[in-house]
Amino acid sequence: MIRINLSPDAKRRTPGRGPSVQQIVPSTDVSKGAIIAVVMIVGWVGVGVVAYFVQQSIIEDTKVLTAKAKQLDQQAADINAQIDEEGLQARFNRYEELKAAKEALEKKRRSPVYVYHELANVLTTGKHPDVDEAEQRQRVAIDPQARLDLDWDAQSVWLLSMAEKENDVLDITGGARDPDDLSEFVKRLRASARFARVSHPEFQLKEVKEDAATKELKPGDAIQNFYTFELTAQVRYWD
């Protein structure tokens, strides 16, 4: 017996449809950390390649410089081998001998007359040294006490000895009545155009006994206290 459902509310089955199946699709998203890691790896590989080529270039340059250095060392050795050291030393010794002979000849040839004449003017009352006016004005502008005393009594200073040393330097010793007179003498030497580099004098008091005035005086004796001094002065020119 065949039964036919003619009810309009009855649901029909769709042919060919079975139970629903959920499909699983794999995700295609890539994390940022993985991308950064890949970029870093590629970067380090690039740096390594560049460093390799730079190192190779440095190695080649080092080889070239080393070869040039060896070549220069060899050239220097060849030059040193050709130098006659004994001959050079002999010529140098000969030069020193000629130089010393020339200096000795110059000392014998020059005359100290003009230097003595200048010292006589310095130590004579009413006379003055040969002064370079421009230098003296500049000296007085710096130190007003460098001005010369035109009324100075030059007999208050006297010389005991004068010896020539190296480089045209005179070693002068003498005596002075007091430090002020010695100071005026030094100022006149420094103002003279014939002298240079006049040193500061070393001086000390020379005391005389009280009964010296009653005794018979001999040349060089003094009846009152005085100062002895020593200084040096370089002669600028002799003639």
Side-chain angles (χ1 to χ4, degrees):
M1 181 176 177
I2 300 172
R3 296 177 64 182
I4 299 173
N5 187 5
L6 299 177
S7 174
D9 295 331
K11 294 182 179 180
R12 295 182 179 180
R13 290 183 179 181
T14 303
R17 287 189 178 181
S20 62
V21 179
Q22 185 177 4
Q23 297 181 353
I24 300 175
V25 179
S27 175
T28 59
D29 294 337
V30 180
S31 65
K32 294 182 179 180
I35 295 174
I36 294 174
V38 172
V39 172
M40 290 180 64
I41 292 173
V42 173
W44 281 112
V45 171
V47 171
V49 172
V50 173
Y52 172 77
F53 285 107
V54 171
Q55 183 180 11
Q56 292 298 319
S57 177
I58 293 174
I59 292 174
E60 293 297 328
D61 293 341
T62 302
K63 291 181 179 179
V64 173
L65 292 176
T66 302
K68 289 183 178 180
K70 290 182 179 179
Q71 184 179 3
L72 292 176
D73 290 341
Q74 184 61 39
Q75 292 177 357
D78 295 340
I79 293 174
N80 290 331
Q82 297 176 1
I83 294 177
D84 183 7
E85 294 184 359
E86 294 182 357
L88 290 176
Q89 185 63 39
R91 286 193 290 270
F92 177 76
N93 294 338
R94 180 58 178 168
Y95 166 76
E96 291 294 329
E97 293 176 359
L98 293 176
K99 182 179 178 181
K102 179 182 177 182
E103 292 178 354
L105 182 61
E106 289 291 335
K107 289 182 179 180
K108 291 182 179 180
R109 184 182 64 83
R110 70 190 180 196
S111 172
V113 172
Y114 295 100
V115 175
Y116 291 158
H117 183 266
E118 181 71 359
L119 287 174
N121 289 336
V122 171
L123 293 171
T124 301
T125 303
K127 292 188 177 182
H128 306 91
D130 182 12
V131 178
D132 186 326
E133 296 296 340
E135 289 186 3
Q136 181 63 10
R137 284 195 298 269
Q138 184 178 6
R139 190 179 295 109
V140 172
I142 297 174
D143 181 12
Q145 294 184 354
R147 191 183 307 275
L148 301 182
D149 183 3
L150 302 181
D151 298 327
W152 176 59
D153 181 11
Q155 294 183 355
S156 59
V157 175
W158 58 93
L159 300 184
L160 296 176
S161 66
M162 185 172 60
E164 182 181 352
K165 301 170 66 176
E166 295 181 355
N167 299 323
D168 299 328
V169 175
L170 297 179
D171 188 358
I172 302 173
T173 62
R177 183 172 53 192
D178 54 46
D180 291 337
D181 291 319
L182 177 57
S183 176
E184 183 65 25
F185 172 67
V186 173
K187 286 193 295 184
R188 288 176 173 246
L189 285 180
R190 290 174 177 170
S192 173
R194 191 170 290 273
F195 297 106
R197 298 180 181 177
V198 179
S199 68
H200 184 76
E202 297 181 0
F203 61 94
Q204 61 180 0
L205 177 63
K206 186 73 172 180
E207 296 183 356
V208 178
K209 295 181 180 180
E210 295 181 357
D211 58 347
T214 61
K215 293 183 178 180
E216 182 180 357
L217 296 179
K218 298 179 181 180
D221 290 344
I223 60 175
Q224 62 182 11
N225 297 340
F226 64 96
Y227 289 82
T228 59
F229 68 87
E230 181 178 1
L231 59 83
T232 59
Q234 186 179 39
V235 179
R236 288 182 176 177
Y237 54 92
W238 292 87
D239 300 330

